[in-house]
Amino acid sequence: MTQPSTPETPSLNFIQEIMAADRDANKWSGRVNTRFPPEPNGYLHIGHAKSICINFGLAREFGGVCNLRFDDTNPTKEDVEYVDSIMHDVRWLGFDWDDRLYYASDYFEQLYQWAVQLINKGKAYVCDLTGDEVREHRGTLTAPGKNSPFRDRSVAENLDLFARMKAGEFPDGSRTLRAKIDMAQPNLNMRDPVMYRILKAEHHRTGNKWCIYATYDWAHGQSDSIERITHSICTLEFENHRPLYDWYLDELDLFHPQQIEFARLNLTYTVMSKRRLLELVTGNHVRGWDDPRMPTLAGMRRRGYPPEAIRNFCTKIGVSKTDSMIEMSVLEGAVRDDLNKKAPRVLGVLRPLKVVIDNYPEGQVDELEAINNPEDESMGTRKLPFARELYIERDDFREDPPKGYYRLSPGKEVRLRYAYFVTCKSVVKDPKTGEVTELHCTYDPATRGGAAPDGRKVQGTIHWVSAGHAIDAEVRLYDYLFRIPDLAEVPPGEDYKSYINPESLVVLQGCKLEPGLAKAEPGSRFQFERQGYFCVDPVDSKPGTPVFNRTVSLKDSWAKIEKGQKKKGG
RNA sequence: UGGGGAAUGGUGUAACGGUAGCACAGCAGACUCUGGAUCUGCUUGUCUAGGUUCGAAUCCUAGUUCCCCAGCCA
């Protein structure tokens, strides 16, 4: 009588539904071929990661393949530096295009032949209008456009002119090849769109061979068709272009992939447009494309975000056609979730405060055992040196502790993690500034390892390092790049760059870390207990003196409590 | 006053005429040698107005709001 528990049927997103329906209808003979088509004019960012995960992920789920294709039709903006970085980033994210690496520029000759075909069909013409004139003729959103005076040139004349455009006889911008569609269409993209412009620019792959370059619309669908793409997945702003995508393919009578559009990723407290990211780089508002504050994959890699975490994030946020803004906490959560399981724990003091254990023998060094990862026993243990002089975190001591403060204060006993219970006996201050410079404590030898034989408890456990054994390191703390969550809220006329968070980077010198970290590999990730996840900066670290980037902080519930207290109590 | 899209808690995303679920955030608690992790519980939602139906987030009608489009960028 009792139904067996229903098997989990994972819900499909709308693209998966389309693909499942296509598969069931045998629409493409069961074949699935997607593509990721970046333009090599900038570095990949987390928004691209979403697209990569969708395209490569869908191919994997449906037993198909995904191509990598560079959409390199605008030589004035593109560069091999970007081509290389893009390939590196896609691989780093965990995807592989095998031998399916393509370039739109590989298809320039074929595209040219097809353009000639359209001219012969009377469906394309050479137009001598200037850019301004083309705009004037296009009409407006509400008013139809006017036909170009060159619209009815003979096929022979068009053929001749187009060949001479290709041959470089005319100056840049002087003529275009346009599709002959309908200047009265309510969709502006259909009002005789430009297929080719004259551009005597050196292309990173074809050199100076071409001086006419295909526009996006003319190149994209045909490139998809050449590669026998089944599902051409792109972002929402191309929805208006789909009729044109379909028109070209139909007029040419070519293999016709299906274009499907989804909402691009927006994240709070950052920007995602390549134009703005480029501006941040060239304007030196950040330290480059791989600045750990950047939403680029290069930046996230350097910051310590694991690729698995980014992939999980992309799965979590889903795919839909609703414009959305994902909260940064979702990404941070995915990063913490991944690192919690994998990152070895270490003790590191970021803002050191000297502690002298008065009753600990001078010169004596003890070796204490510490667990490398409580989430994963197989990661084992390590030894930590303990001595009379230590450093603890400045923030773990308050001379006048607020209510609910568990850490060290005068007369209070706390546990030093994996070591001993210590009690604060006196405070040394700078006579001039009043700043606390040193603490004197006593320890209870019976609590070695961190447990009291008499069963007494302490509220707080704090981290520490032995002053004589610790290594010095620079630690870079990162916060949101912008002060406001949604840059679309910047009032018109105001510069979004004035909203850059001045505390997005805080550099700490003289941090004290447990000695084992001296030999940490560049790029390796650790949890500094009670503080966060940190990654050895692969660029600025030197052997023996690593630089650490804070990947993400640990959740800090005390900070939250204290914030609440301040708000309430004033 | 054109065309194309989209509207489900604070933020995302499910539910495909039959109990509005999940994640993140928030709140409260348990546990803890990380104020971490983990575990409980809770608050908050179907854009509006009509209609169809035993029953509507879902179907119909009208409206509202938001996004995209007037590059020889992609």
Side-chain angles (χ1 to χ4, degrees), chain A residues 12-18 50 54 58 233-237 239 260-266 314-326:
Chain A
L12 305 178
N13 66 49
F14 80 101
I15 301 179
Q16 290 170 318
E17 281 180 355
I18 291 170
K50 176 179 180 183
I54 289 172
L58 250 19
I233 299 162
C234 60
T235 44
L236 247 30
E237 66 270 27
E239 210 156 20
I260 302 167
E261 311 86 10
F262 69 95
R264 68 188 322 151
L265 171 65
N266 294 294
C314 290
T315 302
K316 277 187 184 180
I317 59 175
V319 182
S320 75
K321 298 189 70 153
T322 312
D323 288 306
S324 62
M325 172 77 72
I326 308 283

Side-chain angles (χ1 to χ4, degrees), chain A residues 271-281 487-488 496:
Chain A
V271 287
M272 213 70 89
S273 89
K274 282 207 230 175
R275 199 199 97 241
R276 285 178 166 180
L277 294 177
L278 212 210
E279 196 179 356
L280 292 172
V281 172
L487 276 292
Y496 75 97

Side-chain angles (χ1 to χ4, degrees), chain A residues 32-50:
Chain A
V32 166
N33 197 340
T34 55
R35 101 268 92 113
F36 173 61
E39 184 191 10
N41 67 343
Y43 278 60
L44 258 27
H45 53 62
I46 183 77
H48 293 109
K50 176 179 180 183

Side-chain angles (χ1 to χ4, degrees), chain A residues 7 75 82-83 142 148 156 168 192-193 198 201 212 248 254 262 271 301 319 411 451 463 473 534 560 565:
Chain A
Y82 300 128
V83 171
T142 51
S148 162
D192 289 11
I198 300 173
I212 53 172
Y248 284 135
L254 298 175
F262 69 95
V271 287
R301 174 170 56 241
V319 182
H463 59 278
F534 294 78
K560 202 184 281 178
Q565 283 180 353

Side-chain angles (χ1 to χ4, degrees), chain A residues 112 119 126 154-167 169-170:
Chain A
Y112 180 81
I119 292 172
V126 172
S154 69
V155 167
E157 187 182 7
N158 279 323
L159 252 16
D160 172 61
L161 254 16
F162 186 47
R164 289 163 62 193
M165 279 170 64
K166 184 194 179 203
E169 288 187 28
F170 310 120

